[in-house]
Amino acid sequence: MSNYTIVNLVASSNLGQTLDLYNLAAAIPDVEYEPEQFPGAIFKLKEPKVSLLLFKNGKIIISGASSEKDIVAGIKKATKLIGEIEKNVKIKASPKYEIVNLVATSSLNKTIDLFQAAVTLDDIEYEPEQFPGAIIRLYNPKITLLLFKNGKLICAGAKSEDDINKSVNKIKKLLKDNKSE
Amino acid sequence: MSNYTIVNLVASSNLGQTLDLYNLAAAIPDVEYEPEQFPGAIFKLKEPKVSLLLFKNGKIIISGASSEKDIVAGIKKATKLIGEIEKNVKIKASPKYEIVNLVATSSLNKTIDLFQAAVTLDDIEYEPEQFPGAIIRLYNPKITLLLFKNGKLICAGAKSEDDINKSVNKIKKLLKDNKSE
DNA sequence: AATCTTTTCATTATATATTAAATATATTTA
DNA sequence: TAAATATATTTAATATATAATGAAAAGATT
């Protein structure tokens, strides 16, 4: 089992009702809507601290949570506030949603020679001038890792915690012999 | 007496002989000369770690030292290396030089409300969007201070340590009543 | 059919911005 | 033609921006 910390969850859901985004933005101070800039309205909640993207067709995206609990709480709270304006929108006890992206941090607990890693591994990009971390792509599970020379890493694109576990274990194995002075 | 740390000394001196900068750059690897870019040649020493600007007329500028000892050592070492190329240049036991700028850091040991300082003091500029520190100009001695909200400050433009002492004491007095929450 | 727009989050390194001073060139402004 | 600014060197302080990753959504643009 690997050690990691989930730092961001992104989920999609559907309110099942069309939304009048202009109306919502006018009625709720925390809703920003600039259709010229982006077709979705932005709804920022303080507690739980998550951001929602609201679309005309009722689909929504929730991001910024670090647990599924906050995803659910965020959907419920937003639904409640939206429901006060748009009468057709109802709060559900167990809103359906799908986790589309999970971002986590972890550490190999040793410094890494990224130049060496760049020649040892296959799907790795390392351009220190452009970005200080190396970009490693794994294909099963399909996730992308950002690896830094102090051994800290970011795992992005996971659909489940199992994906994170597998990829952290995989990269640990791949870099078992990486030695930095 | 105030607490401060000298972080940079700039001094000017004169070798008393004209220099062939092209020749020096060709003979000494650490001398860079690009007349299109700057009329002086740049001579970087590792020990002591100082940089010298060499001009055709023999005048030189030494910067990067944190003590006069390093200024003297830097002039002697550079003179020796230059003397091996330019035979007229001689090493002096006590080279003459003038300290033209002294930069020091210090601290008021308390956080400062820079917005409040900006309205309380006279010759102060504070534009946080542009630079996080406030710029304070003192006229006797004529030095400029950069003051940060954590109380740390930089004193630039001093000709002597006495100038630093006086200005740090002065700003301490001026900000005696500045209270930050 | 791609790519851009926006939101979130961790990570790290680098760049920017500012100050003073001397030096000596070129360029720009008045 | 005189004065001012640009070039380059050094040094501390600090805040902010950038770079890159992934994913969904629905528009506009290429």
Side-chain angles (χ1 to χ4, degrees):
Chain A
M1 196 55 48
S2 52
N3 273 339
Y4 58 84
T5 305
I6 293 171
V7 296
N8 187 29
L9 277 173
V10 183
S12 71
S13 185
N14 197 325
L15 298 183
Q17 292 291 334
T18 60
L19 300 172
D20 180 339
L21 301 179
Y22 281 108
N23 195 21
L24 285 173
I28 307 174
D30 292 329
V31 173
E32 302 289 334
Y33 182 44
E34 290 184 62
E36 317 287 282
Q37 208 181 126
F38 188 69
I42 300 153
F43 191 179
K44 302 197 182 200
L45 297 181
K46 274 109 185 141
E47 184 46 47
K49 194 181 164 300
V50 299
S51 268
L52 296 99
L53 299 179
L54 314 175
F55 298 93
K56 285 191 294 198
N57 61 6
K59 290 193 178 179
I60 64 173
I61 300 290
I62 310 94
S63 66
S66 49
S67 70
E68 293 204 37
K69 178 179 69 54
D70 283 352
I71 291 281
V72 174
I75 294 176
K76 284 192 186 173
K77 187 159 192 176
T79 308
K80 181 173 181 293
L81 293 163
I82 293 168
E84 289 170 6
I85 312 302
E86 303 257 357
K87 304 175 301 295
N88 288 335
V89 175
K90 304 217 164 46
I91 311 162
K92 292 170 186 163
S94 301
K96 288 203 163 35
Y97 62 89
E98 185 194 351
I99 298 291
V100 295
N101 185 22
L102 222 152
V103 183
T105 61
S106 185
S107 177
L108 302 179
N109 295 312
K110 64 170 183 175
T111 61
I112 297 293
D113 181 337
L114 295 178
F115 290 102
Q116 192 191 120
V119 299
T120 309
L121 301 190
D122 266 336
D123 294 290
I124 181 168
E125 294 173 48
Y126 180 45
E127 292 182 60
E129 319 283 276
Q130 199 185 145
F131 187 69
I135 300 155
I136 301 164
R137 284 165 217 283
L138 301 181
Y139 297 96
N140 180 27
K142 185 181 168 299
I143 71 106
T144 300
L145 301 173
L146 300 183
L147 176 64
F148 299 91
K149 72 168 195 285
N150 60 6
K152 289 192 181 180
L153 62 89
I154 292 163
C155 169
K159 299 287 187 202
S160 66
E161 296 206 30
D162 188 48
D163 285 355
I164 303 173
N165 259 311
K166 281 181 179 155
S167 25
V168 173
N169 287 332
K170 211 164 235 186
I171 191 66
K172 273 187 181 165
K173 201 165 294 175
L174 287 169
L175 291 169
K176 193 159 35 75
D177 296 326
N178 184 288
K179 52 180 186 299
S180 83
E181 73 296 359
Chain B
M1 196 55 48
S2 50
N3 273 340
Y4 58 83
T5 305
I6 293 171
V7 295
N8 186 28
L9 278 172
V10 183
S12 73
S13 185
N14 197 326
L15 299 182
Q17 293 288 335
T18 60
L19 300 173
D20 180 338
L21 300 180
Y22 281 107
N23 196 22
L24 286 173
I28 307 174
D30 292 330
V31 172
E32 302 290 333
Y33 182 43
E34 289 184 62
E36 318 286 282
Q37 205 182 129
F38 188 68
I42 299 152
F43 191 177
K44 302 197 183 199
L45 296 182
K46 274 112 185 140
E47 185 47 48
K49 195 182 165 300
V50 297
S51 269
L52 296 97
L53 299 179
L54 314 174
F55 298 94
K56 285 190 294 199
N57 60 8
K59 290 192 179 180
I60 64 172
I61 301 289
I62 309 94
S63 65
S66 48
S67 70
E68 292 205 37
K69 179 181 69 53
D70 283 353
I71 291 282
V72 173
I75 294 176
K76 283 191 185 175
K77 187 160 192 175
T79 307
K80 181 172 179 296
L81 293 163
I82 292 168
E84 288 168 8
I85 313 300
E86 303 256 359
K87 303 175 302 294
N88 288 333
V89 174
K90 304 218 166 43
I91 312 160
K92 293 169 185 163
S94 301
K96 287 204 164 38
Y97 63 88
E98 185 194 350
I99 298 290
V100 296
N101 184 24
L102 222 153
V103 182
T105 61
S106 186
S107 176
L108 301 180
N109 296 312
K110 63 169 184 176
T111 60
I112 296 294
D113 180 337
L114 295 178
F115 290 101
Q116 189 190 121
V119 300
T120 308
L121 302 189
D122 266 335
D123 294 289
I124 181 167
E125 292 173 50
Y126 179 45
E127 291 182 60
E129 316 285 277
Q130 200 184 147
F131 187 70
I135 301 155
I136 301 164
R137 284 164 215 283
L138 301 181
Y139 296 98
N140 181 28
K142 182 181 169 302
I143 70 107
T144 300
L145 301 172
L146 301 183
L147 177 64
F148 299 89
K149 73 168 193 286
N150 61 5
K152 289 192 180 181
L153 63 90
I154 293 162
C155 169
K159 299 287 186 202
S160 66
E161 296 206 30
D162 187 48
D163 285 355
I164 303 173
N165 259 310
K166 281 181 180 157
S167 24
V168 173
N169 287 332
K170 211 166 237 187
I171 192 65
K172 274 187 181 166
K173 199 166 296 175
L174 287 170
L175 292 169
K176 194 158 35 75
D177 296 326
N178 185 289
K179 50 180 186 300
S180 82
E181 73 298 356

